[in-house]
């Protein structure tokens, strides 16, 4: 998948009439509340709602949206990607899911895994 296709998928997570990602849309897709999403991305719950925190939230949500967009492209839709993200253990990580790894700050490991799988390497 090229970068333009990834950008189109990721754009579905945008906040209406702003250039920023929507924490609400990401939380709805993942089936979590905003407090849980805030903990996942490492920001305070109040930051998600504050207009002054939009850039910080956008930066924190970007890797998750990228993971969901890549997984959605590979799985066929966003709902399957969300299920995979929360429930499917990633090989080599002792039963941890993408959700667990993101919570631990290892978003780069999840992205590397998806890139490997997309390239035909089963990690």
């Amino acid at each position: 998948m090229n970068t333009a296709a990834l950008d189109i998928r990721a754009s579905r997570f945008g906040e209406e009439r702003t250039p920023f990602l929507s924490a609400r849309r990401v939380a709805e897709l993942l089936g979590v509340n905003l407090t849980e999403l805030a903990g996942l991305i490492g920001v305070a719950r109040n930051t998600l709602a504050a207009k002054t925190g939009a850039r910080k939230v956008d930066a924190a949500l970007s890797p998750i949206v990228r993971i969901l967009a890549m997984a959605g492209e590979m799985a066929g839709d966003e709902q399957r990607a969300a299920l995979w993200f929360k429930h499917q253990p990633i090989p080599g990580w002792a039963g941890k899911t993408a959700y667990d790894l993101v919570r631990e700050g290892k978003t780069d490991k999840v992205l590397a895994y998806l890139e490997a799988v997309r390239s035909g390497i089963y990690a």
Side-chain angles (χ1 to χ4, degrees):
M1 175 172 72
N2 64 27
T3 304
L6 185 60
D7 289 341
I8 290 169
R9 286 193 178 270
S11 70
R12 294 182 186 175
F13 296 101
E15 189 68 58
E16 293 178 21
R17 295 181 292 276
T18 73
F20 301 111
L21 297 171
S22 170
R24 181 187 49 79
R25 287 187 184 179
V26 174
E28 285 174 2
L29 177 63
L30 293 177
V32 298
N33 60 40
L34 289 175
T35 302
E36 191 173 352
L37 181 63
L40 178 65
I41 63 174
V43 300
R45 165 65 172 88
N46 293 340
T47 305
L48 293 179
K51 293 199 183 280
T52 57
R55 289 189 192 281
K56 182 176 183 178
V57 171
D58 193 69
L61 283 174
S62 290
I64 293 174
V65 168
R66 184 163 182 222
I67 289 169
L68 291 170
M70 286 176 68
E73 186 268 330
M74 292 164 57
D77 67 38
E78 292 169 353
Q79 292 300 322
R80 288 182 184 181
L83 287 171
W84 170 84
F85 183 83
K86 287 182 70 178
H87 302 291
Q88 183 65 42
I90 295 178
W93 286 98
K96 292 183 179 180
T97 64
Y99 184 94
D100 298 328
L101 293 173
V102 168
R103 182 177 287 281
E104 294 174 5
K106 297 178 181 170
T107 306
D108 57 328
K109 303 298 183 190
V110 178
L111 288 167
Y113 169 76
L114 288 173
E115 285 290 342
V117 171
R118 192 167 69 178
S119 297
I121 302 168
Y122 185 73

